[in-house]
Amino acid sequence: MGRSLDSRKTGEDSDPDLDPRWRERVRRDLTAWYERGHRRLPWRDDPDPYRVLVSELMLVQTTVAAVVPYFQRFLAQFPTVEALARADEADVLKAWEGLGYYRRARQLHEAARVILRDHAGVVPDDPEALRALPGVGRYIAGAILSFAFDRSAPIVEANTQRVLARLLAWGDDLKTSASQARLWEAAGRLVPLEGAGQFNQAFMELGATLCIPKGPMCLVCPVSSDCRARERGLQDVLPVKSVKAPPLAVVETCALVTDPQGRLLVVRRGPGRLWDGFWEFPTVHVSGADPAGRTFGEPVALAEGVRRLTGIRAQVGPSVRTVRFGVTKYRVELTAHSARAAGGEPVPGPGLIDARWEPPEALDALPFGSAGRNLRAWIKQTRG
């Protein structure tokens, strides 16, 4: 296993987390700082295990500011494990609409079903049972155990791994398995036997507010005197992360098909691929990567694509709007065209589970991805 950066430079073999006095100082100073003041977050006010589960799945790769209103609305609609477990997936996706990374919504929904079926609707406090839940890995299990049950469970996530890397002056790429093992080891030593929940909250709070990715606020950090990166002047270069690959370009086109009654043609994607269960306007892949599997094996014109996808013959008009958005590793450019129905009845084609006509005012009730929401809003605006 690699050593901390300063150990490699100076020849020192000891790591700070091996020193019980260092661990005690970090615990004491960090907890005292947290007690003097911290952000009031709705899941902190009532650390019920179900609320912790919901909040942590929402927070994966998403900011606190974005999550707070979603969390409050989601809990109002699904206040208990049983309420969520018995809900339709479409309602869960609609409640999650706009938060992104929709796989998390499905995992949370399935986790609730497992908890209701296997644990009588009670979130388990057993580490193995928690890790067996859909979407619950080592970090989320540790968050539930420590926040809800005050169990001495470590956590390593985006904020705490940055804090740990600086405290240890860890100079290896954080994405490597060796780095992750080292940080989990240090987190396991740091978390106290009592007051684990408060310590872990303080740990995360430090990374979110002071020990930030760029320009860490070392002058007001409660543990700067025990930070090896600060001691060596490395706080602005650590942690080390490998450079992300550039996004893959995607070009797509869709048809805003209307019938004589002014209804719009919408389709719902089937399971197993990106955006499954979501609604969209009939969309055809044009070039580049194909994240949602919309290709027919050959390039097709938009009108022909609409016919194959829905059974509707359409007269395609000019482009009316272009939407650009990112999803996972892709950067998508979607151009929408006006179109009019010229015959046929809607029947779902390849990769779809539904195709239907909907009046514009009914679209708000359906879960759409980001591009669909953009077009939905544009349609509402242009039609008054």
Side-chain angles (χ1 to χ4, degrees):
M1 184 176 292
R3 297 183 193 170
S4 59
L5 189 60
D6 60 334
S7 296
R8 291 197 293 266
K9 284 187 173 184
T10 64
E12 298 173 2
D13 291 323
S14 63
D15 289 309
D17 54 309
L18 295 174
D19 182 354
R21 295 170 300 179
W22 181 87
R23 296 197 300 266
E24 183 55 37
R25 288 195 305 270
V26 170
R27 291 169 184 161
R28 180 198 65 210
D29 295 343
L30 191 52
T31 302
W33 167 78
Y34 183 78
E35 289 176 344
R36 288 195 296 270
H38 55 268
R39 294 172 299 172
R40 294 294 301 273
L41 303 174
W43 47 87
R44 285 177 176 170
D45 295 338
D46 178 11
D48 170 84
Y50 171 60
R51 293 168 63 88
V52 175
L53 173 63
V54 172
S55 66
E56 291 301 334
L57 271 167
M58 285 188 168
L59 285 163
V60 174
Q61 295 183 301
T62 308
T63 65
V64 166
V67 165
V68 168
Y70 278 91
F71 176 83
Q72 293 170 326
R73 290 194 299 266
F74 196 90
L75 265 293
Q77 187 172 355
F78 310 111
T80 65
V81 168
E82 182 173 359
L84 179 57
R86 299 194 186 284
D88 289 336
E89 182 182 88
D91 292 333
V92 176
L93 291 176
K94 182 62 182 177
W96 203 279
E97 186 185 59
L99 196 56
Y101 298 98
Y102 294 101
R103 184 184 178 197
R104 298 173 300 167
R106 295 188 176 91
Q107 289 174 330
L108 178 57
H109 191 203
E110 183 59 28
R113 290 175 170 175
V114 172
I115 293 167
L116 184 62
R117 184 190 68 215
D118 297 345
H119 305 284
V122 177
V123 177
D125 62 354
D126 175 74
E128 291 187 7
L130 281 173
R131 292 284 296 274
L133 296 176
V136 177
R138 189 175 182 183
Y139 158 64
I140 292 181
I144 295 171
L145 289 169
S146 62
F147 300 161
F149 302 108
D150 202 30
R151 299 273 291 277
S152 182
I155 58 171
V156 174
E157 44 78 62
N159 288 315
T160 56
Q161 72 175 358
R162 181 170 58 254
V163 175
L164 284 167
R166 287 171 174 159
L167 285 173
L168 303 176
W170 185 255
D172 291 348
D173 184 350
L174 291 190
K175 293 185 178 180
T176 67
S177 57
S179 289
Q180 288 298 305
R182 178 68 185 95
L183 298 181
W184 275 103
E185 178 186 57
R189 289 175 178 149
L190 266 174
V191 64
L193 293 176
E194 297 181 357
Q198 187 179 45
F199 172 79
N200 280 340
Q201 289 281 17
F203 207 11
M204 295 171 65
E205 186 81 351
L206 182 68
T209 61
L210 299 184
C211 197
I212 52 181
K214 294 183 178 180
M217 304 177 202
C218 300
L219 292 178
V220 292
C221 174
V223 293
S224 61
S225 60
D226 281 301
C227 177
R228 285 201 169 180
R230 169 70 169 166
E231 176 188 336
R232 300 287 174 178
L234 299 172
Q235 67 273 16
D236 291 316
V237 297
L238 294 178
V240 174
K241 288 186 178 181
S242 55
V243 178
K244 287 185 178 181
L248 300 174
V250 181
V251 177
E252 296 180 336
T253 184
C254 74
L256 306 179
V257 186
T258 57
D259 71 356
Q261 289 75 46
R263 297 177 301 177
L264 284 150
L265 182 62
V266 291
V267 297
R268 191 180 187 192
R269 297 201 60 80
R273 287 179 175 170
L274 194 62
W275 297 302
D276 74 54
F278 278 76
W279 293 84
E280 64 186 18
F281 302 100
T283 301
V284 173
H285 178 259
V286 176
S287 65
D290 188 11
R294 292 192 175 101
T295 183
F296 294 104
E298 59 180 351
V300 298
L302 182 55
E304 174 62 13
V306 171
R307 187 191 67 79
R308 295 190 191 185
L309 287 169
T310 68
I312 297 295
R313 299 187 304 277
Q315 296 177 343
V316 176
S319 61
V320 293
R321 188 166 181 81
T322 297
V323 180
R324 296 175 180 85
F325 62 99
V327 57
T328 63
K329 60 182 179 179
Y330 305 100
R331 185 65 186 171
V332 184
E333 179 179 284
L334 173 67
T335 300
H337 289 253
S338 63
R340 291 188 177 277
E345 293 295 329
V347 177
L352 304 175
I353 57 173
D354 202 352
R356 64 172 72 164
W357 296 107
E358 289 284 357
E361 62 271 17
L363 298 180
D364 283 342
L366 303 177
F368 278 80
S370 60
R373 292 196 308 278
N374 183 297
L375 293 172
R376 185 177 67 189
W378 178 81
I379 291 168
K380 183 184 296 186
Q381 181 181 22
T382 55
R383 296 195 176 190

